[in-house]
Amino acid sequence: MTLDALRKEVPELEPYLEHMPEELKQRCYIKVYPPGTIIHQKDTKLDQFGIIARGEHRVINEFQNGNVYMIEKNEPIDFVGEVTILAGMEKTSVTIETLTETTVLYFRRKDFEEWIRKDIQLLGLIAKKVAFKLYRSSYNNGAKLFYPPQFILLDYILKYAAMEHIEQRGSIIVKRTRQQLYEECGITVKTLNRTIKKLEEDQVLQVEKGKITMNLEQYRRAQDVITYYIAY
């Protein structure tokens, strides 16, 4: 795929590329990744900057003991390496894994750093995106410190159910493994199993063939139950 073709297919790119230097149009390149691909590995030297034009991905932190913690999920337009570059660091601090087929427009790090020094519009757009993600993280992460696991998991499932249009469908299946729930909610698998059992006893969900399910009646009840955890 050419740069011109990508710009036509993804018009949301235009504000970012409006003042792109002509010479970079010849030096940039486009790469398409399948789902489940690591495109940005923690603790590796960053040599390039990427603009994610299409596809969803998750940002995760990997630890030496093998544990994985999901920081956030993102949709385009997004970036690869922006925090590392803005912080003036050499190595990356997180891992990025694609969730769907993902298209990334890449530039050499040196080219991008030169470009961003001159393009205030691009710098402003990137800074706004970084600030938004920091705001969202600051706003949400405190819940994992102060609320019990029942609240954290139920809040996750309610958001998942709303995203899956439970109001129209009448019921949903949470298509996540225990490991994925652990990574996304930050609850250990052992605690997660106890929490699921407790919420099942509270009749706000049920487990069928190993998968968490929720019907509309349980969804309504869960909306009432979760306020208990907020209040207490």
Side-chain angles (χ1 to χ4, degrees), residues 41-188:
Q41 185 71 53
K42 180 182 177 181
D43 285 329
T44 57
K45 185 177 179 181
L46 183 74
D47 294 319
Q48 56 190 0
F49 169 81
I51 299 178
I52 299 176
R54 288 187 298 211
E56 298 179 3
H57 61 278
R58 67 175 189 158
V59 180
I60 57 179
N61 206 338
E62 302 170 289
F63 299 96
Q64 290 183 349
N65 62 6
N67 288 334
V68 173
Y69 174 70
M70 192 189 81
I71 300 170
E72 60 192 5
K73 287 183 181 179
N74 293 317
E75 299 176 347
I77 303 294
D78 204 13
F79 313 104
V80 176
E82 79 283 13
V83 172
T84 302
I85 290 173
L86 291 176
M89 304 302 288
E90 182 183 25
K91 294 183 179 180
T92 57
S93 60
V94 296
T95 294
I96 297 177
E97 179 185 20
T98 63
L99 296 173
T100 62
E101 184 176 88
T102 299
T103 302
V104 185
L105 174 63
Y106 282 112
F107 305 86
R108 291 191 309 175
R109 176 172 181 165
K110 289 183 178 179
D111 286 339
F112 172 74
E113 288 175 333
E114 179 65 24
W115 175 16
I116 204 171
R117 277 195 289 268
K118 300 175 182 177
D119 190 343
I120 300 302
Q121 177 172 302
L122 176 62
L123 177 60
L125 289 168
I126 294 173
K128 183 177 181 180
K129 185 76 173 185
V130 171
F132 169 76
K133 289 190 282 188
L134 179 60
Y135 176 89
R136 181 177 60 188
S137 177
S138 300
Y139 189 88
N140 293 326
N141 281 353
K144 295 177 182 179
L145 296 174
F146 296 105
Y147 287 126
Q150 291 95 327
F151 169 87
I152 296 169
L153 181 60
L154 193 57
D155 181 60
Y156 176 92
I157 294 172
L158 282 171
K159 290 175 180 175
Y160 182 96
M163 184 179 66
E164 291 293 314
H165 308 292
I166 192 171
E167 296 275 4
Q168 290 76 41
R169 297 172 60 183
S171 65
I172 58 100
I173 298 173
V174 179
K175 298 176 182 177
R176 296 286 190 274
T177 64
R178 294 293 193 272
Q179 181 65 24
Q180 287 172 320
L181 288 173
Y182 154 63
E183 292 175 7
E184 297 185 23
C185 296
I187 304 172
T188 65

Side-chain angles (χ1 to χ4, degrees), residues 3-63:
L3 176 60
D4 287 341
L6 182 62
R7 293 175 78 161
K8 288 179 181 178
E9 292 183 15
V10 188
E12 295 83 3
L13 280 172
E14 284 311 305
Y16 300 89
L17 306 182
E18 185 176 353
H19 304 296
M20 178 182 175
E22 286 296 322
E23 61 271 20
L24 294 194
K25 295 178 182 179
Q26 307 303 320
R27 295 207 290 265
C28 66
Y29 69 97
I30 298 166
K31 194 165 183 178
V32 179
Y33 298 94
T37 303
I38 300 297
I39 64 174
H40 184 71
Q41 185 71 53
K42 180 182 177 181
D43 285 329
T44 57
K45 185 177 179 181
L46 183 74
D47 294 319
Q48 56 190 0
F49 169 81
I51 299 178
I52 299 176
R54 288 187 298 211
E56 298 179 3
H57 61 278
R58 67 175 189 158
V59 180
I60 57 179
N61 206 338
E62 302 170 289
F63 299 96

